Amino acid sequence: MGQVPAAGGWGLLAGSALMVGALVGFLTRVPRPVVAAVMAFGSGVLLSAVSFELIAEAHDQGGLLPTVLGAIGGAAVYTLADLVLAVRGARHRKRSGDQQPSESEQAGSGTAIALGALLDGIPESIVIGTSLLGGGSVSAVTVVAVFISNVPEGLSSASGMRQAGRSRTYVFGLWTGIALLSALAAMLGNAVLGGAPAALLAAITAVAGGAILAMIADTMIPEAFEDTHVWNGLITVIGFLTAFALSHS
């Protein structure tokens, strides 16, 4: 199996967790503290993957300067795009409560939420695709981290969409589309960046890492803290150590 199709398969696997979470979140009424606890755990897993699989790898490939510039650039681009989408109704796209506006409350918010979900998932998928470059195997820790973190993202967001009155067709169509686009992003990351200089790969890896860190801080941790409160830190650390153990096993 070629690298590009393999990258697509791994990206699809990681993205499919959004569908798993959305099914649970939309079809059942999971208690909000449970959703928040899973979100906290997923935040810790992603934080660990960013630290040891992305930022550390970018530093090893290209040194400190490309890593710092890439991470800041990724965080800045994510934040600016998120600000634009927030104005259009996507600010609370990962919230499981009644924070999400319905289409009648804010026209265009459904499209903004869809674009926001895409914004959250693309950096992760590109990293999965680039991890196969050079003939190596996919970063299992990154795939596992993205999969674990995608479950609570889909669960929490779908719960909020249900409360905002959005239809099953919209919810499952959205997450199916995002899963497929995750596969496409992983394939593009592998195909376009093959043969790129180490410094460029380091910068792109750092860009993705910075964007993911900004996403965790801006959307996942606030949702987790909403209902876990004092337990948020402990659960996040458990998630962090789980991914750390996987990367060192």
Side-chain angles (χ1 to χ4, degrees), residues 131-222:
S131 71
L132 284 163
L133 293 176
S137 59
V138 71
S139 171
V141 174
T142 301
V143 173
V144 170
V146 173
F147 189 95
I148 291 174
S149 66
N150 276 346
V151 172
E153 285 185 49
L155 192 159
S156 181
S157 185
S159 297
M161 289 175 185
R162 183 190 63 212
Q163 293 198 45
R166 291 193 162 85
S167 67
R168 285 189 189 187
T169 302
Y170 173 86
V171 174
F172 297 128
L174 168 64
W175 293 118
T176 300
I178 298 300
L180 293 174
L181 287 171
S182 295
L184 180 60
M187 293 172 71
L188 286 174
N190 185 274
V192 173
L193 297 173
L200 177 59
L201 282 175
I204 290 172
T205 302
V207 165
I212 294 169
L213 276 174
M215 183 268 291
I216 296 167
D218 192 53
T219 62
M220 293 184 69
I221 290 177

Side-chain angles (χ1 to χ4, degrees), residues 13-207:
L13 174 64
S16 67
L18 291 166
M19 276 295 301
V20 174
L23 281 167
V24 175
F26 193 87
L27 299 178
T28 65
R29 295 190 177 274
V30 182
R32 288 184 59 180
V34 174
V35 176
V38 178
M39 186 70 83
F41 183 85
S43 298
V45 168
L46 266 186
L47 284 170
S48 182
V50 169
S51 300
F52 300 108
E53 296 293 317
L54 302 186
I55 299 300
E57 180 182 341
H59 181 266
D60 290 343
Q61 286 181 319
L64 184 61
L65 186 59
T67 301
V68 170
L69 293 178
I72 292 174
V77 169
Y78 176 88
T79 300
L80 290 173
D82 195 42
L83 283 171
V84 172
L85 293 171
V87 173
R88 299 180 179 274
R91 177 64 184 166
H92 300 298
R93 59 186 176 273
K94 284 187 170 63
R95 296 301 182 94
S96 58
D98 57 1
Q99 298 96 333
Q100 290 186 26
S102 65
E103 199 67 26
S104 61
E105 291 171 328
Q106 186 168 356
S109 58
T111 300
I113 288 171
L115 292 173
L118 184 61
L119 173 68
D120 297 336
I122 290 301
E124 301 166 343
S125 302
I126 291 174
V127 166
I128 289 172
T130 57
S131 71
L132 284 163
L133 293 176
S137 59
V138 71
S139 171
V141 174
T142 301
V143 173
V144 170
V146 173
F147 189 95
I148 291 174
S149 66
N150 276 346
V151 172
E153 285 185 49
L155 192 159
S156 181
S157 185
S159 297
M161 289 175 185
R162 183 190 63 212
Q163 293 198 45
R166 291 193 162 85
S167 67
R168 285 189 189 187
T169 302
Y170 173 86
V171 174
F172 297 128
L174 168 64
W175 293 118
T176 300
I178 298 300
L180 293 174
L181 287 171
S182 295
L184 180 60
M187 293 172 71
L188 286 174
N190 185 274
V192 173
L193 297 173
L200 177 59
L201 282 175
I204 290 172
T205 302
V207 165

